[in-house]
């Protein structure tokens, strides 16, 4: 025997929750992550672009010049997951990087082929060549 009466508001709340749970599955984190990788990641404003070869744990060759990494340098792979620099030794990537106030590299993003066509800040790269060829004018 049920001793307490359920109000109409309570029944409406239960029914609304039952409808919203399946709707939440449409926006799963996997779908959102996939859409973000198709659009490209958002990088900080002062990000720079270069070709980086990992030489040692805290040492890289950036556009031909040997430079150190900060002791707590963070390297993000193409899926935006953190990777250890020891697993990248000997490999070369096109990267976006950020320097600390002392001028040492503190954060690195390994770029996807799509992201290399964008500017370091994430905007579209300007068209190369004369505009007459692009627009037929």
């Amino acid at each position: 025997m049920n001793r307490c009466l359920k109000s109409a508001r309570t029944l409406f709340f239960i029914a609304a929750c039952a409808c919203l749970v399946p709707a939440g599955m449409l926006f799963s984190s996997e779908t959102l992550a996939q859409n973000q990788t198709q659009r490209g990641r958002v990088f900080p404003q002062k990000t720079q672009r270069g070709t980086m070869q990992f030489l040692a744990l805290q040492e890289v060759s950036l556009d031909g010049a040997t430079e150190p990494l900060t002791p707590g340098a963070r390297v993000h792979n193409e899926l935006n997951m953190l990777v250890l620099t020891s697993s990248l030794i000997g490999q070369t990537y096109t990267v976006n990087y950020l320097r600390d106030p002392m001028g040492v590299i503190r954060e690195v993003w390994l770029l996807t082929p799509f992201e290399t066509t964008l500017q370091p800040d994430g905007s579209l790269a300007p068209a190369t060549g004369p505009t007459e060829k692009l627009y037929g004018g």
Side-chain angles (χ1 to χ4, degrees):
M1 175 180 346
N2 199 356
R3 294 185 184 206
C4 56
L5 298 174
K6 297 202 181 344
S7 67
R9 246 191 282 169
T10 305
L11 292 174
F12 178 75
F13 178 74
I14 292 170
C17 289
C19 293
L20 290 177
V21 169
M25 290 181 186
L26 294 174
F27 301 103
S28 68
S29 61
E30 181 180 317
T31 305
L32 293 175
Q34 184 180 21
N35 288 340
Q36 183 172 354
T37 56
Q38 288 174 352
R39 286 192 316 254
R41 294 175 277 186
V42 179
F43 300 107
Q45 193 172 17
K46 294 184 179 185
T47 303
Q48 299 173 329
R49 169 115 0 115
T51 302
M52 184 176 289
Q53 181 180 11
F54 292 86
L55 303 174
L57 288 177
Q58 298 297 319
E59 189 174 305
V60 296
S61 172
L62 181 63
D63 295 329
T66 303
E67 296 197 33
L69 294 173
T70 59
R74 298 177 1 165
V75 180
H76 304 268
N77 68 4
E78 294 86 353
L79 299 174
N80 218 22
M81 298 171 58
L82 293 177
V83 292
L84 299 173
T85 55
S86 61
S87 66
L88 302 173
I89 293 176
Q91 299 178 27
T92 303
Y93 297 95
T94 301
V95 299
N96 280 354
Y97 62 94
L98 201 59
R99 295 183 182 273
D100 68 358
M102 299 293 288
V104 183
I105 300 168
R106 70 175 169 98
E107 197 152 7
V108 178
W109 292 269
L110 309 179
L111 299 180
T112 63
F114 172 73
E115 290 171 336
T116 59
T117 62
L118 302 175
Q119 293 291 333
D121 64 356
S123 62
L124 292 174
T128 56
T131 56
E132 300 87 50
K133 292 184 181 177
L134 291 175
Y135 300 109

